[in-house]
């Protein structure tokens, strides 16, 4: 393993992206997200993801010079056209208007269109909670997941993420999970290692349950939580697809033309302002949320992002570690 | 079984509620919801629920004369104080302002406070989709469900429901499910019948997994989908509790003082207007949602409310059926 400071990791990421031709603004925004993932030890969303950025570019599926355009769609809706770039800069471009609208209206939506997407949603959720707002976000991906009762891939791994700001400098309550039973990368890992996958992860191309990782990758993944998870996955297709005038996971996969690039679609983000919901009694009521968190941890339940925040503490003092092979690969790309 | 027309079922419900002292408006709104449940063969939310209304009243936990008050909280938020009545009339009172705000702002929230709650959310979701809007709703209940990794009841069964309007007179795409693994009533049914419950429904009061229904009812129910379902249940506590200045499931259960009445809390409902998100291209993009539904049903996956709509068709022509014992009980209350 190679250990490096967060500053060195940032420089490495920026060097790779600049060398690939990404604009200065795209490079900065992408690096912010990649370093946040590495810092919190979400390794699959850390520096490793730069390889995806590079391969997506090689496939001709991302615009390195994209300059997002912000549209004031309605009093409660801001729309950002990412212009075929990665999602990060589009999110940054839309955030000030989203927070302004949420504070004014009480609730507002940010619809990002035409973006290439590879990142965890918690980075964006955290940015919204830092403005004192409650946030909910979701997006489709590529059609890899069968609906409950079905046999063929139709939904994406369709993540949903939620954030709740906390007082006194405490990190926000955030969850961010795929509505698939497991990440696709985990199934690929099982295939590479020749290990059977657990029951419930997927079905083969005939729609039969299987523990053969390769058969699942050729067949379809399943959602978490049976028909309930499947219903949520369908909701995400709808509200982060047709509702915002953007692609479903099936349409994103068709757009890919077998290139294996990152998905191309939209993203829906909602922001709610507790101060508009609660007025002068906001502080009092938000204290009751703290009582809920205390009741969770007191009985041994973990808050969803606890591990990430612990990793963050470590990384801020000790830096981050990546495998030698990844380090060499990134150096060659830089 | 006793078979009756929907008109007769409506008269029976109204007679029971009037006799118990519910105001004319409360009686009408409650009956609308109870009959919708019976019509769609959601038996536990049909005429059977009148027994809950009566026992909740006998416990002194509902206001039969409550007149909801509508407050214009913010440009994107309408708040309705249900004044301790059942939720239905409060929802009806807030609906016109919710739809007006959603059409004006693009997205709006309805927060119902201080309501006694027994009904499925799909009835309200369907009313919003009939206005051409997308809807999302959730509420806490009584603290019966342990968080993932925990051992004690903290969350409610916390339902979440979603609706999507469909063109050409097709019934909306609607799902409505508890974030608990199963409804509490199903566990009670297993106890009465002396049958073991499946793995994953609950734990005993020492936090150990058990298949003993009585032990689960004394211990805690579990969420669906492991830590993901648990995260959703926590989100519902937060956004339909403290965010709207109302009780969590633990607070609702404390308020009950062991009376076994219906939960007392708030409810959060969001409405989104596809026409504000999409402008002139709404029809085109909503057609892509239809393609998603077709792709689901073509591979044998059921749309979430399909069974309900089939039951509705039957009930509209053939009437509804309830057990003799329930019919007699209701007649005595009427």
């Amino acid at each position: 393993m190679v250990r490096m400071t967060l500053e060195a990791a940032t420089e490495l990421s920026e060097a790779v992206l600049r060398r690939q031709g990404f604009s200065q603004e795209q490079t900065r925004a992408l690096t912010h997200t990649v370093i946040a993932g590495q810092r919190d030890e979400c390794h699959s969303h850390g520096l490793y993801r730069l390889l995806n950025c590079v391969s997506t570019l090689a496939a001709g599926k991302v615009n390195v010079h994209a300059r997002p355009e912000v549209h004031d769609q309605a009093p409660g809706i801001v729309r950002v056209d990412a212009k075929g770039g990665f999602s990060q800069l589009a999110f940054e471009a839309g955030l000030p208007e989203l927070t302004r609208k949420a504070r004014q209206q009480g609730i507002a939506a940010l619809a990002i269109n035409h973006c290439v997407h590879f990142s965890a949603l918690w980075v964006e959720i955290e940015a919204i909670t830092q403005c004192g707002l409650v946030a909910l976000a979701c997006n489709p991906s590529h059609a890899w997941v069968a609906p409950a009762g079905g046999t063929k891939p139709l939904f994406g791994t369709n993540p949903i993420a939620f954030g709740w700001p906390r007082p006194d400098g405490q990190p926000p309550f955030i969850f961010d999970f795929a509505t698939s039973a497991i990440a696709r990368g985990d199934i690929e890992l099982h295939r590479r290692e020749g290990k059977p996958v657990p029951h419930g992860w997927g079905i083969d191309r005939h729609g039969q349950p299987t523990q053969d990782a390769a058969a699942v990758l050729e067949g379809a993944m399943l959602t978490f939580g049976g028909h309930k998870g499947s219903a949520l996955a369908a909701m995400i297709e709808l509200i982060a697809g047709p509702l915002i005038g953007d692609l479903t996971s099936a349409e994103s996969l068709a757009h890919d033309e077998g290139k294996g690039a990152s998905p191309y679609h939209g993203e829906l983000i909602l922001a709610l302002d507790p101060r508009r919901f609660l007025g002068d009694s906001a502080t009092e009521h938000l204290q009751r949320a703290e009582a809920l968190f205390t009741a969770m941890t007191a009985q041994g339940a973990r808050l969803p992002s606890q591990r990430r925040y612990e990793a963050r503490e470590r990384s801020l003092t000790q830096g981050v570690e990546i495998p030698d092979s990844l380090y060499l690969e990134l150096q060659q790309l830089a």
Side-chain angles (χ1 to χ4, degrees), chain A:
Chain A
M1 301 292 281
V2 177
R3 180 166 288 281
M4 65 187 95
T5 62
L6 285 170
E7 291 70 27
T10 300
E11 281 169 25
L12 178 59
S13 170
E14 289 182 347
V16 168
L17 293 166
R18 269 200 310 266
R19 169 89 182 279
Q20 303 299 315
F22 283 93
S23 69
Q24 193 178 340
E25 281 298 278
Q26 289 283 352
T27 295
R28 188 192 47 69
L30 282 164
T31 294
H32 171 77
T33 291
V34 161
I35 296 302
Q38 190 67 47
R39 178 200 63 198
D40 287 10
E41 294 180 10
C42 303
H43 294 291
S44 66
H45 286 93
L47 288 166
Y48 174 76
R49 279 289 159 131
L50 290 170
L51 303 182
N52 281 71
C53 298
V54 172
S55 64
T56 296
L57 176 59
K61 294 292 184 187
V62 67
N63 175 1
V64 293
H65 301 295
R67 296 172 65 96
E69 278 179 12
V70 180
H71 301 276
D72 189 350
Q73 178 80 14
I77 306 171
V78 52
R79 176 189 291 281
V80 181
D81 187 337
K83 297 277 180 179
F86 281 116
S87 59
Q88 286 76 15
L89 193 58
F91 173 75
E92 284 186 17
L95 180 61
E97 193 61 7
L98 174 68
T99 57
R100 194 187 64 73
K101 283 178 182 291
R103 286 181 184 133
Q104 191 170 75
Q105 314 295 325
I107 181 169
L110 167 59
I112 300 177
N113 288 128
H114 314 129
C115 71
V116 186
H117 206 275
F118 70 83
S119 52
L121 291 169
W122 60 258
V123 182
E124 297 171 3
I125 292 285
E126 186 166 334
I128 301 170
T129 62
Q130 280 165 352
C131 304
L133 303 172
V134 174
L136 187 67
C138 59
N139 60 258
S141 63
H142 277 334
W144 287 321
V145 179
T151 57
K152 292 182 176 59
L154 178 64
F155 301 150
T157 51
N158 295 12
I160 183 165
F162 170 78
W164 178 273
R166 298 185 62 189
D168 309 323
Q170 293 174 95
F173 173 94
I174 291 181
F175 68 73
D176 178 358
F177 61 77
T179 50
S180 52
I182 192 76
R184 190 164 181 86
D186 281 306
I187 300 177
E188 278 162 358
L189 203 63
H190 278 70
R191 181 181 55 179
R192 277 209 300 275
E193 294 175 357
K195 290 199 309 195
V197 298
H199 285 293
W201 283 16
I203 52 180
D204 66 20
R205 61 201 174 87
H206 307 294
Q208 297 303 311
T210 181
Q211 292 192 262
D212 178 342
V216 171
L217 293 170
E218 277 171 24
M221 298 163 66
L222 292 174
T223 64
F224 91 102
H227 72 279
K228 296 182 180 181
S230 178
L232 287 172
M235 175 186 82
I236 294 168
E237 291 289 330
L238 293 167
I239 64 176
L243 178 66
I244 62 169
D246 219 314
L247 303 191
T248 60
S249 295
E251 292 167 332
S252 170
L253 191 60
H255 171 87
D256 187 57
E257 300 165 303
K259 298 274 176 67
S262 290
Y264 174 69
H265 50 65
E267 181 181 344
L268 177 67
I269 303 171
L270 306 185
L272 299 88
D273 186 354
R275 272 144 207 90
R276 293 315 300 269
F277 274 84
L278 295 167
D280 292 341
S281 56
T283 307
E284 167 203 338
H285 287 299
L286 297 182
Q287 215 36 61
R288 293 160 57 233
E290 295 305 306
L292 183 79
F293 300 139
T294 302
M296 289 174 71
T297 53
Q299 61 172 278
R302 204 182 269 273
L303 297 184
S305 288
Q306 204 169 318
R307 269 186 213 152
R308 255 189 334 96
Y309 296 139
E310 288 163 9
R312 185 181 300 186
E313 287 298 314
R314 275 196 300 279
S315 298
L316 289 172
T317 56
Q318 303 166 23
V320 296
E321 263 188 352
I322 58 172
D324 292 335
S325 56
L326 175 60
Y327 183 72
L328 288 173
E329 206 167 348
L330 292 174
Q331 281 220 307
Q332 282 163 3
L333 289 166

